Amino acid sequence: MAARRALHFVFKVGNRFQTARFYRDVLGMKVLRHEEFEEGCKAACNGPYDGKWSKTMVGFGPEDDHFVAELTYNYGVGDYKLGNDFMGITLASSQAVSNARKLEWPLTEVAEGVFETEAPGGYKFYLQNRSLPQSDPVLKVTLAVSDLQKSLNYWCNLLGMKIYEKDEEKQRALLGYADNQCKLELQGVKGGVDHAAAFGRIAFSCPQKEAMAADKSDEWFAKHNKP
């Protein structure tokens, strides 16, 4: 596994049957592992819930070298209010476009060869009607930020990401650790970021020593960059 790499994004899901159908039959992902828990996670992995829950990791290949999705299901919770924090995942897969058409899953062409669709719960995905020679079709995760420059300071100066693209006028930046990895796209929004009840999280790997150093730096950053 690479020292630094984007690992997965966590989604809270309310309908496991429809969610499984979307990731398996539309996107073409496979179940990599599944775990059941009798009580809430102390680290709030499943959100502010104390009851029984499960998580299922799905992706196009092994977690060691693919960006995957973690589907978190809290028993008894059928839906979640979405905020504006998660703006979508973009992947290149002509097969996913073909699958969606065959299953009559709603698609909207938002650019030439790029189709917007939604997973159950309202999470947006952007499907590029092409396939890549690389093994992982997941290209980027787009997240909203209230202050692009402060966010760049955090992701680049603290977590060591490289800026691949930056557009000040559109308040957009594309970041990553390597050319062949899933990228993180930051999109500035007006009015602040609302995480609502479905707030997710993106996970990255880094060496333990760097994580400990980053934790101390994060405390300093938070102290000296109060809104």
Side-chain angles (χ1 to χ4, degrees):
M1 180 182 290
R4 293 187 180 188
R5 188 173 67 83
L7 300 177
H8 62 259
F9 193 86
V10 181
F11 295 99
K12 290 185 180 64
V13 303
N15 186 320
R16 287 204 290 188
F17 174 77
Q18 285 296 327
T19 296
R21 183 168 180 255
F22 175 78
Y23 285 92
R24 180 191 62 222
D25 299 341
V26 177
L27 297 187
M29 290 184 176
K30 298 178 180 179
V31 173
L32 304 174
R33 58 187 171 96
H34 176 81
E35 297 177 68
E36 294 280 342
F37 305 90
E38 292 300 322
E39 57 184 22
C41 173
K42 293 181 179 179
C45 296
N46 64 317
Y49 302 94
D50 296 326
K52 184 178 179 181
W53 66 288
S54 71
K55 70 176 180 181
T56 306
M57 310 301 290
V58 297
F60 291 102
E63 293 176 65
D64 284 351
D65 54 13
H66 287 71
F67 186 84
V68 306
E70 178 180 319
L71 308 178
T72 296
Y73 176 73
N74 288 291
Y75 283 86
V77 182
D79 57 72
Y80 299 89
K81 178 183 177 182
L82 296 182
N84 66 349
D85 51 349
F86 174 78
M87 302 186 75
I89 284 181
T90 300
L91 57 92
S93 173
S94 56
Q95 185 61 56
V97 174
S98 176
N99 292 342
R101 286 171 171 164
K102 289 179 181 177
L103 295 171
E104 298 184 347
W105 199 276
L107 288 177
T108 301
E109 191 166 15
V110 294
E112 186 176 356
V114 180
F115 297 86
E116 178 185 299
T117 189
E118 288 187 3
Y123 304 108
K124 293 186 182 299
F125 282 75
Y126 295 90
L127 313 180
Q128 294 185 2
N129 194 15
R130 64 190 180 97
S131 296
L132 297 179
Q134 65 190 57
S135 59
D136 191 357
V138 182
L139 302 179
K140 65 182 180 181
V141 179
T142 304
L143 302 179
V145 296
S146 57
D147 189 312
L148 182 61
Q149 191 53 55
K150 282 187 177 181
S151 296
L152 289 176
N153 288 341
Y154 177 83
W155 291 103
C156 298
N157 298 339
L158 181 60
L159 298 185
M161 279 192 162
K162 170 186 174 182
I163 297 178
Y164 281 83
E165 299 174 14
K166 184 179 179 182
D167 189 325
E168 292 281 1
E169 184 178 351
K170 294 183 179 180
Q171 284 292 287
R172 170 190 171 275
L174 187 68
L175 315 174
Y177 286 122
D179 295 351
N180 62 346
Q181 291 182 12
C182 173
K183 305 297 189 300
L184 172 64
E185 182 177 52
L186 304 178
Q187 177 63 60
V189 295
K190 296 181 179 180
V193 176
D194 177 15
H195 297 285
F199 64 92
R201 63 179 73 187
I202 189 167
F204 293 84
S205 66
C206 71
Q208 185 176 11
K209 291 183 179 179
E210 292 183 15
M212 295 174 66
D215 186 52
K216 293 180 180 178
S217 298
D218 200 15
E219 293 178 4
W220 182 94
F221 183 87
K223 180 179 179 181
H224 291 82
N225 287 273
K226 295 181 179 180

